[in-house]
Amino acid sequence: VKLYNYWRSSASWRVRIALAYKNVAYEYVAVNITPGVKAQNQAEYQKLNPMQQVPTLVLDDGRQLAQSMAILEYLEETVPRPSLLPSDPYLRARARQLAEVVNAGIQPFQNLPTMAKIGELGGDAKEFVRGYIARGLDGLAASAEATAGTFLVGDAPSFADVCLVPQLNAARRFELDPSRWPLLARVEEACMRLQPFQAAHADRQPDAVAQGAK
Ligand SMILES: N[C@@H](CCC(=O)N[C@@H](CS)C(=O)NCC(=O)O)C(=O)O
């Protein structure tokens, strides 16, 4: 498979974690979404992903799949082991619940076009984003108390942790210190002890290195 993605994109990063966790080899195709380049808006890429966003997974037969949560579900169904969902149906739903707090409740507000629009309207985009991240992480931390073990839901990583790690990185970029949410900071540490989470880290991707990240 080929993963069209960008090193610092949190949605891309989720898919990289799942691919690494499930030991799926992939070709890394960098799409530079920085405001000065906007490679996601080029006609060629738009054919792959009409939403003009990363990530897009292109299967070996050429079919495409977008939306990181849909890609995670696809990988879970096609490569069930090791699993990124608990076996109990209620806990599976809780893992998805926590993932959606990030996917639906935070990330859309921190996306580049959203920030650009807030700026155009005369608002303080950074302050706007900071507010949504803090509100979302407050909710995430409180919700996770019911299920957390070593990870957000029990003692194995799930979709919830796959979404958490890139989101905490984004929080730092907006000058929010994750230590404000001790449970989330502790789970992030547990995740980062695992090789697949290390391999998927933004700073280790080829386009990050090329851009002289951080
Ligand atoms: N819900 C989508 C979000 C995709 C998304 O917002 N991607 C961002 C990067 S994290 C992007 O491509 N931003 C550039 C743009 O929207 O122009 C997913 O989970 O895949």
Side-chain angles (χ1 to χ4, degrees):
V1 295
K2 279 189 197 174
L3 182 65
Y4 287 76
N5 77 130
Y6 180 66
W7 62 284
R8 209 156 67 171
S9 145
S10 61
S12 301
W13 186 340
R14 296 171 196 160
V15 176
R16 291 196 303 263
I17 295 170
L19 288 166
Y21 195 78
K22 290 175 175 293
N23 260 307
V24 178
Y26 64 97
E27 184 184 333
Y28 190 107
V29 186
V31 180
N32 189 340
I33 62 169
T34 49
V37 181
K38 292 193 178 164
Q40 76 275 26
N41 300 139
Q42 283 164 12
E44 206 56 26
Y45 184 71
Q46 208 174 327
K47 278 187 229 153
L48 290 181
N49 186 331
M51 281 294 283
Q52 303 171 56
Q53 294 181 324
V54 285
T56 305
L57 188 72
V58 178
L59 306 183
D60 292 339
D61 63 10
R63 289 181 299 171
Q64 304 115 31
L65 203 47
Q67 291 292 343
S68 62
M69 298 315 299
I71 298 172
L72 294 188
E73 295 285 356
Y74 174 79
L75 292 172
E76 185 65 20
E77 288 180 15
T78 52
V79 189
R81 299 280 172 272
S83 178
L84 278 169
L85 286 172
S87 51
D88 175 75
Y90 176 71
L91 292 178
R92 292 165 82 82
R94 288 293 295 216
R96 292 182 172 113
Q97 171 187 328
L98 299 182
E100 288 301 338
V101 170
V102 174
N103 178 58
I106 305 178
Q107 189 276 336
F109 299 106
Q110 81 197 2
N111 197 16
L112 291 166
T114 309
M115 290 187 69
K117 181 56 88 179
I118 298 292
E120 265 171 55
L121 296 171
D124 181 339
K126 274 202 160 169
E127 201 44 45
F128 171 88
V129 175
R130 243 195 300 269
Y132 276 99
I133 296 179
R135 177 174 180 263
L137 294 181
D138 285 346
L140 185 67
S143 306
E145 270 173 33
T147 56
T150 306
F151 298 96
L152 289 177
V153 183
D155 292 322
S158 72
F159 288 1
D161 309 286
V162 165
C163 290
L164 172 73
V165 168
Q167 186 55 57
L168 288 187
N169 193 269
R172 288 190 186 91
R173 281 167 46 211
F174 286 94
E175 287 144 43
L176 288 168
D177 184 350
S179 66
R180 186 166 152 186
W181 300 278
L183 169 61
L184 305 183
R186 170 177 74 65
V187 170
E188 181 193 35
E189 263 182 48
C191 290
M192 291 314 299
R193 283 195 282 273
L194 304 178
Q195 196 279 335
F197 281 82
Q198 293 165 12
H201 194 283
D203 295 346
R204 291 193 43 185
Q205 306 315 309
D207 47 343
V209 176
Q211 284 186 25
K214 296 191 170 192

